[in-house]
C-alpha cells in the first residue's frame, strides 16, 4: 500500500509555501483574462503584486450566494450559465471549449469539470484512507447532476481502481451487487454505509467492505467506532462542488490535512480578514485550477487551523474539520441581520478586538446585545464607548440593542458572530 500519493505531500512547508505564492500572480492574471467575473471583481489589480498571503488578503472574498446571484443574473440575460466564473465551456458559449461535464448543485449553481486526470484531487484522500491501486470501490454518491460521485470516481481512476457506480437508493439492488462483486472499499456518505451494514446484517450477509472514504455529512467518532466494530476502517474528507477536495483525514486521526494546490485562509465570518491560527472562522480557498479559477472563494463552512504537522508524515496545514456554517444571518424583529453588519460595527470602532451579537427573548419579543472584547491595553470611558456602540448598532442594523463590554478572551472560540439564543417553545 502506498504511504502517500506523491512527494508533494512530504515536501517542506517552506518549499510548498514558496511554490504556492510563486503561482499566485499567474493564477490571478489567468482569472482576470479568462473569467469575465474575475475580470470585473479584480479590475485594476496588478497580479504581480499578489505574491504573499498579506497581498492575497486584500482581494475580495466571493461567497457562494454571490456566485449564485451572478449566475442567475447571467442566465436571465441569456448569457453565460456559469456567471462568468469558468474558463472552459462548450460550443455556443463565448469561451474556449474543454468542459467534460457540467454539474448542478442546489441553487441551482452550475460547475464545470475539465479534462485533467484526478481533476477534483480526491486520490490523495483515498490513499490516506488505505485504498490501493487495483481495488474495487463501491461508490454510493449520486451520479445524478451533482458532482459528488464524479469527485470520488476521478480519484479512484487516478489511483488505478475499478468503480461500481452504485449511486443513491435501491439499497437491496446495491447489496446484491456488493455480494456478487465483493468490493473491498466504499465511497459515499457515512449514513448510507451504515444502512448497508445494517441491511446486510438483517439479510445474514457478510459485507466484504473493509475500508471507506466518507463525506457529505458529519461522521462523529461514535459512528467511526461503530464502523470499526463492524470491521470497516472509515476516514473522512472535506470537499465542495465548487472547489473539489479541500482536506482529508489520515491514519493519525488528528484533524484533516489540506490538499495540495489549495491556498487556505480562515477569515472572520462576514469579512475577508484572516484570523489568528487556532481561531475558528470561515474557510476561504484559492484553488489553482485554470479551468475554474476560484480566487478567495468563501465556502460558508467554519473550521480552524491546527498547529504543527501531521504525524503521518504529510507536511501541509491541518484543520479541525467541519465546525458548522459561517452564514449566521438571522431575523430580528422582522429584519435580517448579517455577520457583515457586525463586522461593520467593529470596523467603525478600532478599540474593539472581537464582538458577538447575542439574540435572546421569546417569539415577538426579540432583544439583542453586542458583547465586545476590547484591544488591550485599553484605558477609556467605558460608558461613553457603550453609548457609541449602541448608536452604531442602530445605524447599521436599524434596530435598537445593548452593548456589553466583556473581559478579554471571554468570548467563545467557535466562529459565531451572531448567536441566536431565543426560546421558541
Amino acid at each position: 500500500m502506498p504511504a502517500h500519493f506523491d512527494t508533494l505531500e512530504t515536501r517542506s512547508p517552506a518549499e510548498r509555501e514558496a511554490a504556492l505564492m510563486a503561482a499566485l500572480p499567474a493564477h490571478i492574471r489567468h482569472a482576470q483574462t479568462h473569467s469575465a467575473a474575475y475580470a470585473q471583481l479584480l479590475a485594476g489589480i496588478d497580479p504581480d503584486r499578489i505574491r504573499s498571503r498579506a497581498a492575497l488578503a486584500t482581494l475580495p472574498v466571493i461567497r457562494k450566494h454571490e456566485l449564485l446571484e451572478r449566475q442567475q443574473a447571467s442566465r436571465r440575460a441569456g448569457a453565460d450559465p456559469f456567471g462568468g466564473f469558468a474558463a472552459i465551456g462548450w460550443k455556443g458559449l463565448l469561451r474556449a471549449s474543454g468542459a467534460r461535464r457540467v454539474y448542478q448543485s442546489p441553487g441551482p449553481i452550475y460547475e464545470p469539470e475539465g479534462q485533467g486526470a484526478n481533476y477534483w484531487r480526491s486520490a490523495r484522500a483515498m490513499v490516506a484512507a488505505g485504498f490501493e491501486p487495483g481495488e474495487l470501490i463501491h461508490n454510493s454518491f449520486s451520479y445524478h447532476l451533482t458532482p459528488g460521485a464524479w469527485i470520488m470516481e476521478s480519484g479512484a481512476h487516478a489511483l488505478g481502481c475499478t468503480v461500481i457506480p452504485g449511486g443513491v437508493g435501491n439499497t437491496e439492488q446495491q447489496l446484491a451487487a456488493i455480494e456478487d462483486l465483493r468490493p473491498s472499499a466504499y465511497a459515499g456518505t457515512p449514513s448510507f454505509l451504515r444502512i448497508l451494514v445494517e441491511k446486510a446484517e438483517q439479510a445474514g450477509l457478510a459485507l466484504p467492505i473493509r475500508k471507506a472514504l466518507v463525506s457529505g455529512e458529519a461522521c462523529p467518532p461514535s459512528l467511526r467506532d461503530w464502523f470499526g466494530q463492524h470491521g470497516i476502517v472509515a476516514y473522512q474528507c472535506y470537499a465542495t462542488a465548487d472547489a473539489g477536495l479541500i482536506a482529508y483525514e489520515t491514519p493519525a486521526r488528528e484533524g484533516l490535512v489540506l490538499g495540495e494546490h489549495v491556498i487556505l485562509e480562515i477569515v472572520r465570518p462576514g469579512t475577508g480578514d484572516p484570523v489568528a491560527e487556532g481561531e475558528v472562522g470561515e474557510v476561504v480557498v484559492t484553488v489553482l485550477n485554470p479551468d475554474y479559477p476560484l480566487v478567495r472563494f468563501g465556502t460558508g463552512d467554519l473550521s480552524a487551523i491546527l498547529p504543527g504537522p501531521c504525524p503521518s508524515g504529510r507536511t501541509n496545514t491541518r484543520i479541525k474539520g467541519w465546525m458548522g456554517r459561517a452564514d449566521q444571518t438571522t431575523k430580528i424583529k422582522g429584519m435580517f441581520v448579517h455577520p457583515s453588519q457586525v463586522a461593520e460595527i467593529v470596523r467603525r470602532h478600532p478599540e474593539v478586538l472581537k464582538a458577538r451579537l447575542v439574540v435572546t427573548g421569546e417569539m415577538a419579543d426579540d432583544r439583542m446585545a453586542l458583547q465586545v472584547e476590547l484591544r488591550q491595553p485599553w484605558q477609556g470611558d467605558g460608558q461613553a464607548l457603550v453609548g457609541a456602540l449602541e448608536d452604531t448598532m442602530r445605524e447599521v442594523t436599524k434596530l435598537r440593542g445593548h452593548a456589553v463590554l466583556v473581559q478579554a478572551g471571554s468570548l467563545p472560540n467557535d466562529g459565531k458572530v451572531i448567536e441566536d439564543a431565543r426560546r421558541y417553545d
Side-chain angles (χ1 to χ4, degrees), residues 195-205:
I195 289 172
L196 288 174
V197 172
E198 292 174 339
K199 290 285 187 182
E201 287 183 338
Q202 293 169 12
L205 302 175

Side-chain angles (χ1 to χ4, degrees), residues 303-361:
S303 194
I305 292 176
L306 291 171
C310 179
S312 70
R314 294 169 176 87
T315 57
N316 210 340
T317 301
R318 295 180 301 152
I319 60 174
K320 287 187 177 181
W322 188 82
M323 300 178 69
R325 292 293 294 169
D327 186 5
Q328 299 147 25
T329 298
T330 189
K331 186 176 281 189
I332 304 171
K333 294 184 177 179
M335 297 184 65
F336 283 107
V337 177
H338 305 273
S340 59
Q341 291 174 296
V342 179
E344 174 61 19
I345 296 169
V346 172
R347 187 190 67 79
R348 296 189 188 188
H349 296 273
E351 61 270 63
V352 175
L353 174 65
K354 190 176 180 181
R356 182 185 186 101
L357 186 69
V358 180
V359 188
T360 58

Side-chain angles (χ1 to χ4, degrees), residues 25-316:
H27 183 70
I28 299 296
R29 181 175 290 105
H30 178 82
Q32 290 173 318
T33 305
H34 298 281
S35 158
Y38 280 114
Q40 182 182 52
L41 289 165
L42 304 179
I45 299 296
D46 178 5
D48 288 329
R49 77 168 183 82
I50 311 300
R51 295 180 177 273
S52 68
R53 290 182 179 270
L56 179 63
T58 65
L59 303 183
V61 172
I62 181 75
R63 292 184 164 85
K64 206 175 187 86
H65 71 89
E66 297 170 283
L67 188 151
L68 171 61
E69 289 164 3
R70 283 177 173 268
Q71 285 200 1
Q72 288 174 330
S74 183
R75 293 197 294 270
R76 283 194 298 268
D80 182 358
F82 297 124
F85 285 94
I88 57 173
W90 54 85
K91 185 177 181 180
L93 280 182
L94 299 176
R95 65 182 69 248
S97 60
R100 175 183 291 166
R101 298 184 183 92
V102 59
Y103 301 103
Q104 183 194 79
S105 297
I109 293 175
Y110 293 97
E111 303 98 5
E113 178 184 357
Q115 301 289 333
N118 194 29
Y119 180 81
W120 305 94
R121 306 175 307 282
S122 58
R124 296 184 190 284
M126 291 184 165
V127 171
F131 290 25
E132 301 178 54
E135 282 195 289
L136 179 61
I137 300 172
H138 187 85
N139 186 2
S140 75
F141 277 111
S142 174
Y143 279 85
H144 179 66
L145 285 178
T146 58
W150 304 96
I151 289 175
M152 292 295 183
E153 182 162 304
S154 65
H157 288 166
L159 192 56
C161 297
T162 303
V163 175
I164 302 172
V168 297
N170 301 309
T171 307
E172 288 75 17
Q173 187 177 1
Q174 293 206 46
L175 273 176
I178 291 171
E179 176 69 10
D180 291 340
L181 298 173
R182 313 297 295 172
S184 55
Y186 166 92
T189 63
S191 60
F192 190 68
L193 178 57
R194 178 162 190 158
I195 289 172
L196 288 174
V197 172
E198 292 174 339
K199 290 285 187 182
E201 287 183 338
Q202 293 169 12
L205 302 175
L207 208 65
I209 293 169
R210 290 293 171 263
K211 58 190 76 171
L213 179 62
V214 298
S215 192
E217 59 192 29
C219 184
S222 58
L223 182 54
R224 183 190 69 197
D225 293 344
W226 187 90
F227 288 136
Q229 293 163 9
H230 290 79
I232 301 171
V233 181
Y235 292 89
Q236 302 179 71
C237 71
Y238 168 39
T240 74
D242 317 273
L245 181 82
I246 295 175
Y248 57 95
E249 195 174 19
T250 77
R253 304 287 192 186
E254 295 184 10
L256 305 183
V257 175
L258 190 66
E260 303 295 327
H261 311 300
V262 175
I263 300 171
L264 173 106
E265 299 171 272
I266 304 292
V267 308
R268 183 156 288 113
T271 77
D273 304 330
V275 299
E277 183 175 302
E279 186 173 341
V280 177
E282 182 183 6
V283 173
V284 170
V285 294
T286 297
V287 184
L288 302 181
N289 175 1
D291 297 335
Y292 201 43
L294 296 177
V295 177
R296 299 204 85 200
F297 176 71
T299 64
D301 295 321
L302 293 174
S303 194
I305 292 176
L306 291 171
C310 179
S312 70
R314 294 169 176 87
T315 57
N316 210 340

